[in-house]
Amino acid sequence: IPSSDAHLDTLRTDRSRRDFAAIGTAAGVSAAFYAPIGGVLFAMEEGSSFWSVLLTLRCFSAACICVMVSYLFLLFKTGLGHFNVLDLAKFNGVDGHQEISATFG
């Protein structure tokens, strides 16, 4: 960032760097686990020293966008014909509605 831009000086402060780190933490965790609220809660607990309502909204917005983009990539990977809305409720490919049987003996 050029030093002549006075209106961008607020992006160089330590507070804004901490906020960007918290936003990135929330986005990364939510993209990894498809859980935007979990990402924000993790960033609240681990990623930031000081927390505000504005930072919560920014983290939640970034987390939701990352989860939507992740699902968009999943949609293009599986193809439009094989994508089902109920697939969004699966956790690592397991939907919990299938019967699992085991044989002992």
Side-chain angles (χ1 to χ4, degrees):
I1 301 174
S3 61
S4 62
D5 294 332
H7 63 282
L8 296 177
D9 283 340
T10 58
L11 298 177
R12 293 189 187 102
T13 64
D14 287 335
R15 180 183 174 121
S16 64
R17 289 180 183 164
R18 284 192 304 263
D19 288 352
F20 285 136
I23 292 167
T25 301
V29 170
S30 66
F33 297 106
Y34 296 108
I37 295 175
V40 173
L41 291 176
F42 181 79
M44 258 185 184
E45 182 180 355
E46 300 292 334
S48 182
S49 303
F50 303 99
W51 204 262
S52 66
V53 175
L54 182 61
L55 183 58
T56 304
L57 293 174
R58 288 177 178 169
C59 285
F60 188 68
S61 300
C64 288
I65 289 171
C66 280
V67 169
M68 286 189 278
V69 168
S70 297
Y71 278 126
L72 187 66
F73 285 149
L74 180 67
L75 175 72
F76 287 129
K77 178 184 168 191
T78 58
L80 293 174
H82 299 291
F83 188 76
N84 189 1
V85 176
L86 297 177
D87 291 340
L88 300 178
K90 290 183 179 181
F91 180 73
N92 290 337
V94 179
D95 62 358
H97 297 290
Q98 299 173 351
E99 249 183 66
I100 299 173
S101 62
T103 357
F104 298 100

